[in-house]
Amino acid sequence: MTASHSDSLVVLFGATAGAYGAKLGSDERELILLVWQVVDLPSKKVGTLHKSLVKADNLDLSDQCREVSGLTPEGLGKAEPLDRVLQQFSQLVSSDLKVLGRSSYTLCSDGQLLIRQVLHPETSKKNFLLSDCFYSFYDLRKEFHTCYPSSAAVKDQTIKTMAEYLGLGTDETEEDFGVWQVKTMVAIIFSMLSESGVHVFTEPETVKYKYETGPCSKSETVDSETVIRARGLPWQSSDQDIARFFKGLNIAKGGVALCLNAQGRRNGEALVRFVNSEQRDLALERHKHHMGSRYIEVYKATGEEFLKIAGGTSNEVAQFLSKENQVIIRMRGLPFTATQEDVLGFLGPECPVTGGKEGLLFVKYPDGRPTGDAFVLFSCEEYAQNALKKHKEILGKRYIELFRSTAAEVQQVLNRYMSTPLIPTLPTPIIPVIPPPYTIATGSIRDCVRLRGLPYTAGIDDILEFMGDATADIKPHGVHMVLNQQGRPSGDAFIQMKSADKAFMVAQKCHKKMMKDRYVEVFQCSGEEMNFVLMGGTLNRSGLSPPPCKLPCLSPPAYAAFQTAAVIPAEAALYQPQALLPTTRTPQASTTAPPTVTYYPAQAAQLYMNYTAYYPSPPVSPTTVGYIAAPPGAVAAAATATHTPILPQPGALVRMQGLPYNTGMKEILSFFQGYQYAPDDYNGLIQLSDQARSMLQAPKEWVCL
């Protein structure tokens, strides 16, 4: 039993098989030692001091653990496992309290790490419950600083510094490891009780029993010192799974926001908001801890990022999420004609929806059309589990997918669909172009260097600092970060130097030099090799593999709409960047206002190449393409050139969506039978590349002229 103001404390100390002190629990190592003693505050009496070894699953002790504790794997092999030790702990504490004539107690530990970072995470992973006493405890360091405000800051306190501040003459070497710590903590507590105006232990630290769901409004103020980003989550992870990963730390109500990609699916990331900065700092110590077999990366994030994902403004969503402590299930793939009665009938009586129809939320476009998604509320885990068993069962003529969801995901999905434009337009430029002059590296001259093994957090400023004095020899716009398919840093970068000699000197000087906590490999290479990698090729010990856009099998001649030699002249290319459904223009308007012209450099012909592996980050890559103003002479030269324009006048462009993936040119021509289409060479059929398609968010599309 525990109480907000208890007459008895149980002073608790523990150690793991790994790090000790300020890094306790940061390496996920298991508990191997518990030492405790009951203290009766009114009478200043103590119970028996108990020391118990714990048998860990992995008995490989770190060097620091061996040195500090003096324990051995042989001795730990004879100990009891953690669940048995905790049972003994409860029994022995109850017995000692009975002797002292007490019935309730509160734990008191040296700091928060033992309770929050060791006991709670380990028992959660081993699937057994901690007793209620471990959800409330006193932090001796905070209590000491409250009693002695002139002492060192809480984060700098240790058992030894607190004893030295009080002038307690204890010798750490005289006692066994753990015994000295508990005896000294008891002596510190008695000294605090003897201070003028008896110190009272009244405000214990608390650990939340479970994560509380709830909505978040965009008008809320979120402290950036309380938010982290978790990366590498299994795609099926729910908010409860994430809360379990951070077991022992207090997450704010509705503080787990699963991130979605452009297609509305989870991307393996989540933003988590904690109740204060202290809890956030402890969460950062769980960087690369494991969820199942996957390690999870934990980084700092901002309040703005959290609100962007979790915040919402819809009154309908707020009302839907106003029912607290509900389990949310997302349904995807519903027939567009599905009604509330259809969904309730599909779920059946074995999984009743909270509030009936009020527990259903259909996701719609701004014009009221259904999207095929819906969210459902259930009052308990049992009903939700029954609903999940219906995953991929048939409703009408479609199978329905069911997933666990969160309040933040509801907000994200609604925000995404409600902001979808009614009339789609051409995609904006994928990456902006750097104003000329800049040069594109070509040829076999080895005047470039490749950096491999960069920290994923490294930016261009870090690379320039890494290069040192050699930065003066880098060409303008010559630093090229290589990103992976998800748009994240791949750990590679290319740098164009002013000469091959400069590149050789940099490779010799900086190879395996440290950047942050990693060494970086630096190799000399040519501009041609650099461009191949930036376009999706690979460069390794086996040689150079061309990018997918250079492979003939991925660019069938019959579908090649952008052949640079025949279609785009060296001077310029004409393109009408209007919407797919432009407004009708009168002849007068067309004669008085010349059409908008956009100019591309000759190298821009690769805009719709099939980039599938890597691509460079803005703003410094020479292979990026975007809209830039046309040179004065380019318009006239292009207008008089005898070539077929890429796109004809506005009004002749049609985008086809939802085509089967095996659709070919013959099927499309048959579909448009009876209509006049592009010239006989069929260059009017343009299959959009993966890169452009990702911007349009369509599964497969063609553009017909």
Side-chain angles (χ1 to χ4, degrees):
M1 295 293 293
T2 62
S4 59
H5 172 53
S6 177
D7 290 332
S8 299
L9 298 179
V10 175
V11 178
L12 185 67
F13 177 81
T16 69
Y20 174 72
K23 290 295 183 179
L24 183 70
S26 63
D27 52 4
E28 275 190 297
R29 297 305 301 272
E30 296 170 275
L31 191 73
I32 59 171
L33 174 68
L34 272 182
V35 186
W36 69 90
Q37 187 173 31
V38 176
V39 178
D40 182 48
L41 298 180
S43 65
K44 296 186 180 179
K45 294 180 180 180
V46 297
T48 305
L49 191 148
H50 302 277
K51 178 178 179 179
S52 181
L53 298 180
V54 183
K55 183 179 180 180
D57 295 337
N58 181 6
L59 295 177
D60 183 18
L61 306 182
S62 68
D63 294 339
Q64 184 185 25
C65 177
R66 291 173 183 269
E67 180 181 352
V68 174
S69 68
L71 299 175
T72 62
E74 293 76 17
L76 293 173
K78 302 175 183 179
E80 297 285 350
L82 180 58
D83 55 344
R84 294 288 301 276
V85 171
L86 292 177
Q87 290 177 5
Q88 295 174 7
F89 169 83
S90 298
Q91 295 170 0
L92 292 172
V93 167
S94 297
S95 177
D96 290 345
L97 286 172
K98 188 175 182 180
V99 172
L100 294 171
R102 303 294 178 185
S103 59
S104 65
Y105 67 94
T106 305
L107 297 179
C108 180
S109 65
D110 171 36
Q112 310 212 12
L113 300 182
L114 176 62
I115 305 292
R116 295 190 184 276
Q117 298 285 68
V118 178
L119 280 168
H120 278 282
E122 184 173 341
T123 55
S124 177
K125 289 178 181 178
K126 294 183 177 179
N127 293 316
F128 60 86
L129 298 176
L130 283 171
S131 61
D132 291 347
C133 68
F134 291 97
Y135 288 85
S136 177
F137 66 97
Y138 289 109
D139 182 347
L140 183 58
R141 300 184 185 188
K142 289 186 177 180
E143 298 293 333
F144 185 85
H145 188 72
T146 301
C147 187
Y148 304 100
S150 60
S151 61
V154 173
K155 64 179 181 179
D156 299 325
Q157 297 278 19
T158 64
I159 297 176
K160 187 173 183 179
T161 59
M162 288 187 288
E164 290 175 349
Y165 183 87
L166 297 174
L168 301 178
T170 56
D171 187 357
E172 188 174 356
T173 60
E174 293 180 359
E175 304 283 358
D176 290 339
F177 178 71
V179 174
W180 176 86
Q181 281 82 357
V182 170
K183 286 185 175 181
T184 305
M185 290 168 69
V186 172
I188 292 171
I189 291 172
F190 285 157
S191 296
M192 293 167 59
L193 296 176
S194 301
E195 244 354 80
S196 58
V198 178
H199 180 77
V200 180
F201 292 81
T202 57
E203 297 182 4
E205 300 288 320
T206 59
V207 179
K208 287 189 175 183
Y209 283 87
K210 63 178 183 178
Y211 167 67
E212 298 177 276
T213 62
C216 176
S217 172
K218 285 188 179 293
S219 61
E220 287 187 34
T221 301
V222 178
D223 185 0
S224 293
E225 296 300 314
T226 63
V227 183
I228 62 94
R229 179 183 294 273
R231 180 179 294 169
L233 299 165
W235 68 267
Q236 69 272 30
S237 298
S238 67
D239 53 350
Q240 298 296 338
D241 296 322
I242 296 171
R244 186 176 181 182
F245 176 79
F246 289 108
K247 184 68 174 176
L249 306 180
N250 293 338
I251 299 175
K253 183 177 179 180
V256 177
L258 295 166
C259 301
L260 307 180
N261 61 17
Q263 287 72 43
R265 300 178 183 271
R266 296 171 186 173
N267 63 3
E269 294 188 6
L271 292 170
V272 185
R273 177 188 179 190
F274 294 90
V275 294
N276 55 43
S277 59
E278 181 182 34
Q279 303 290 305
R280 192 283 304 267
D281 293 340
L282 292 175
L284 291 172
E285 292 296 327
R286 300 197 187 182
H287 179 59
K288 292 196 173 181
H289 283 204
H290 288 77
M291 180 183 289
S293 60
R294 298 175 66 103
Y295 72 83
I296 308 301
E297 301 173 31
V298 183
Y299 303 101
K300 291 182 180 180
T302 66
E304 290 77 9
E305 290 176 309
F306 182 82
L307 286 175
K308 183 178 179 181
I309 298 299
T313 57
S314 171
N315 292 331
E316 183 183 12
V317 175
Q319 183 178 358
F320 176 77
L321 298 175
S322 62
K323 302 177 181 65
E324 298 182 357
N325 299 322
Q326 300 290 310
V327 183
I328 305 175
I329 298 296
R330 180 180 179 182
M331 303 180 69
R332 191 166 61 197
L334 292 169
F336 294 147
T337 57
T339 63
Q340 292 177 326
E341 290 78 8
D342 295 333
V343 174
L344 293 175
F346 172 80
L347 294 172
E350 63 273 17
C351 38
V353 177
T354 301
K357 295 181 180 180
E358 294 182 359
L360 295 176
L361 178 65
F362 285 92
V363 183
K364 299 180 180 180
Y365 289 106
D367 59 357
R369 291 181 296 116
T371 65
D373 280 28
F375 293 94
V376 190
L377 295 179
F378 296 99
S379 59
C380 65
E381 187 66 31
E382 179 185 357
Y383 295 158
Q385 288 291 347
N386 291 338
L388 291 173
K389 293 177 182 178
K390 297 180 179 292
H391 180 60
K392 291 196 174 181
E393 288 190 7
I394 302 298
L395 174 59
K397 296 183 179 180
R398 305 190 60 164
Y399 71 85
I400 311 301
E401 299 174 289
L402 289 92
F403 308 95
R404 288 182 175 274
S405 189
T406 67
E409 186 172 22
V410 176
Q411 298 280 23
Q412 280 188 86
V413 173
L414 266 294
N415 291 344
R416 183 184 304 276
Y417 281 112
M418 292 305 293
S419 61
T420 303
L422 297 178
I423 301 178
T425 58
L426 283 173
T428 55
I430 297 171
I431 300 175
V433 163
I434 290 299
Y438 62 82
T439 58
I440 294 182
T442 56
S444 58
I445 300 177
R446 300 174 64 81
D447 58 351
C448 302
V449 292
R450 179 183 185 182
L451 277 59
R452 188 170 66 188
L454 295 169
Y456 293 133
T457 57
I460 293 177
D461 292 338
D462 298 311
I463 293 177
L464 296 179
E465 182 180 354
F466 173 82
M467 297 285 289
D469 296 337
T471 55
D473 299 319
I474 300 176
K475 288 183 178 180
H477 309 296
V479 181
H480 312 286
M481 302 288 290
V482 180
L483 308 183
N484 61 19
Q485 284 181 307
Q486 289 72 40
R488 300 175 187 158
S490 66
D492 281 22
F494 286 90
I495 301 176
Q496 292 178 260
M497 307 302 293
K498 293 182 177 179
S499 67
D501 293 338
K502 299 295 184 182
F504 175 79
M505 294 299 295
V506 169
Q508 293 294 317
K509 180 181 178 181
C510 298
H511 184 57
K512 291 195 174 182
K513 180 180 173 182
M514 297 298 294
M515 179 185 294
K516 298 183 179 180
D517 57 345
R518 302 185 61 169
Y519 73 84
V520 178
E521 298 175 288
V522 184
F523 307 100
Q524 188 179 7
C525 66
S526 67
E528 181 182 13
E529 293 169 336
M530 180 191 76
N531 277 333
F532 265 60
V533 173
L534 291 180
M535 291 173 59
T538 57
L539 178 62
N540 50 40
R541 296 177 181 176
S542 303
L544 185 65
S545 299
C549 62
K550 294 294 185 180
L551 298 177
C553 61
L554 294 181
S555 299
Y559 300 161
F562 293 97
Q563 301 177 10
T564 58
V567 178
I568 301 181
E571 296 83 3
L574 291 177
Y575 178 25
Q576 309 292 344
Q578 279 87 8
L580 289 178
L581 300 177
T583 56
T584 305
R585 298 189 305 166
T586 62
Q588 291 79 6
S590 61
T591 56
T592 57
T596 304
V597 177
T598 303
Y599 170 75
Y600 291 97
Q603 295 81 5
Q606 298 169 359
L607 172 62
Y608 287 117
M609 284 296 186
N610 186 13
Y611 296 149
T612 59
Y614 295 97
Y615 56 91
S617 61
V620 290
S621 172
T623 58
T624 57
V625 177
Y627 300 112
I628 59 177
V635 176
T640 56
T642 57
H643 71 281
T644 303
I646 297 178
L647 298 179
Q649 295 300 315
L653 179 63
V654 177
R655 190 178 79 183
M656 301 179 67
Q657 293 181 269
L659 291 171
Y661 283 91
N662 58 355
T663 300
M665 183 171 59
K666 292 182 179 179
E667 287 81 4
I668 294 177
L669 295 178
S670 176
F671 179 81
F672 284 106
Q673 185 175 5
Y675 293 88
Q676 183 178 0
Y677 41 81
D680 292 339
D681 61 1
Y682 303 133
N683 278 342
L685 293 180
I686 304 173
Q687 185 178 12
L688 297 186
S689 69
D690 292 340
Q691 189 180 26
R693 188 182 307 127
S694 66
M695 299 300 296
L696 292 168
Q697 301 179 9
K700 179 130 182 166
E701 300 180 11
W702 289 70
V703 175
C704 300
L705 308 181

